[in-house]
């Protein structure tokens, strides 16, 4: 009687297991739990007594589609991405080119200054920017007064609140992308610029014909990471406006936070999180496909 052979397990799984287990524990399981939670009416009453927990099926998603506040938050988030995304990438690339130029002195000082907002606490930043945006004593309105323009209620006017949040978010985060662009610029061989100069290319032609093509993988990566980060807009409107005025700065993540931790509608908040996850997943897949094509 021959012994039964055990199925052969590839040794590769032994090497893959250490990174895969934390990913499963800290990413896959929370996502699965959020999906399950979104199918229930889990709220503060269910916390007190589990018998109050009921299966809602697709009820939270149907409610979400009919909630005008969700569509307002989605429109605000899309507006933020459209305004802040290109501005942040362009500013990051410009700063990286500036601090990487051989003619610029004190490059480490400029790198530190530009990166400083990234590591600064947002609460401290918000205090400073509140004074800058103040309608009576703010520095921005003082500058407008010097050129003959009237004051603007940056955080109190629904027309200006989102642009004010965009400026703050871009200033706070562009230094991180600048560091990535600097790494990409350092990987471009110098001989390509020498060949371009021998062919008579000027500074702008070198940028268009050498820098941009060689930097395209970095540019796409920064674009995708910026898109993912900005779709999760939360901290800036939370500390500056609390989503106001008139919900003009309410983002999807802020709506999720308010539903989950202010009103304790955890099931509904989980449905918001799942929908946002699907939006981010879909846009990232489209961007990745465009990069490959």
């Amino acid at each position: 009687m021959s012994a039964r052979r055990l199925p052969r397990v590839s040794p590769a799984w032994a090497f893959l297991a250490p990174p895969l287990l934390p990913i499963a524990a800290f990413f896959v399981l929370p996502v699965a739990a959020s999906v399950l939670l979104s199918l229930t009416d889990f709220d503060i009453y269910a916390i007190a007594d589990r018998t109050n927990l009921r299966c809602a099926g697709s009820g939270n998603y149907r409610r979400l589609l009919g909630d005008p506040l969700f569509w307002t938050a989605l429109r605000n988030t899309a507006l933020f991405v459209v305004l802040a995304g290109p501005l942040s990438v362009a500013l990051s690339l410009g700063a990286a080119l500036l601090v990487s130029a051989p003619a610029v002195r004190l490059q480490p000082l400029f790198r530190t200054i530009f990166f400083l907002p990234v590591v600064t606490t947002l609460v401290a930043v918000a205090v400073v920017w509140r004074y800058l945006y103040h309608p009576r004593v703010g520095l921005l309105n003082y500058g407008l007064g010097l050129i003959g323009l009237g004051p603007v209620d940056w955080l109190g006017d629904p027309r200006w609140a989102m642009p004010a949040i965009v400026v703050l978010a871009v200033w706070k985060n562009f230094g991180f992308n600048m560091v990535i662009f600097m790494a990409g610029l350092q990987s471009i061989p110098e001989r390509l610029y020498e060949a371009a100069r021998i062919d008579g290319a000027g500074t702008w032609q070198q940028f268009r014909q050498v820098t941009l093509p060689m930097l395209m993988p970095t540019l796409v990566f920064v674009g995708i990471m910026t898109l993912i980060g900005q779709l999760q807009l939360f901290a800036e409107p939370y500390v500056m406006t609390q989503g106001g005025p008139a919900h003009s700065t309410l983002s999807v993540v802020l709506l999720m936070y308010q539903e989950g931790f202010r009103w304790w509608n955890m099931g509904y908040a989980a449905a918001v999180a799942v929908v946002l996850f699907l939006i981010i997943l879909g846009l990232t897949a489209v961007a990745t496909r465009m990069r490959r094509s």
Side-chain angles (χ1 to χ4, degrees), residues 98-143:
L98 176 64
V99 299
S100 301
V104 176
R105 296 183 177 179
L106 302 176
Q107 291 184 0
L109 176 63
F110 284 113
R111 292 171 189 167
T112 304
I113 292 174
F114 290 154
F115 194 74
L116 201 56
V118 178
V119 296
T120 306
T121 306
L122 185 59
V123 176
V125 169
V127 172
V128 176
W129 277 82
R130 275 181 176 276
Y131 278 105
L132 292 177
Y133 284 143
H134 197 280
R136 285 185 291 125
V137 298
L139 188 62
L140 290 179
N141 281 341
Y142 178 76

Side-chain angles (χ1 to χ4, degrees), residues 191-241:
R191 65 177 183 275
L192 297 181
Y193 292 105
E194 293 176 358
R197 285 193 290 269
I198 292 174
D199 290 341
T203 304
W204 174 246
Q205 289 175 317
Q206 291 179 41
F207 176 74
R208 284 188 55 195
Q209 304 298 331
V210 178
T211 304
L212 272 185
M214 296 299 294
L215 206 59
M216 192 53 66
T218 307
L219 194 61
V220 173
F221 172 77
V222 169
I224 293 176
M225 297 305 295
T226 302
L227 173 68
I228 293 173
Q230 292 180 344
L231 283 171
Q232 301 176 64
L233 173 68
F234 171 73
E236 288 84 358
Y238 177 75
V239 299
M240 296 292 286
T241 60

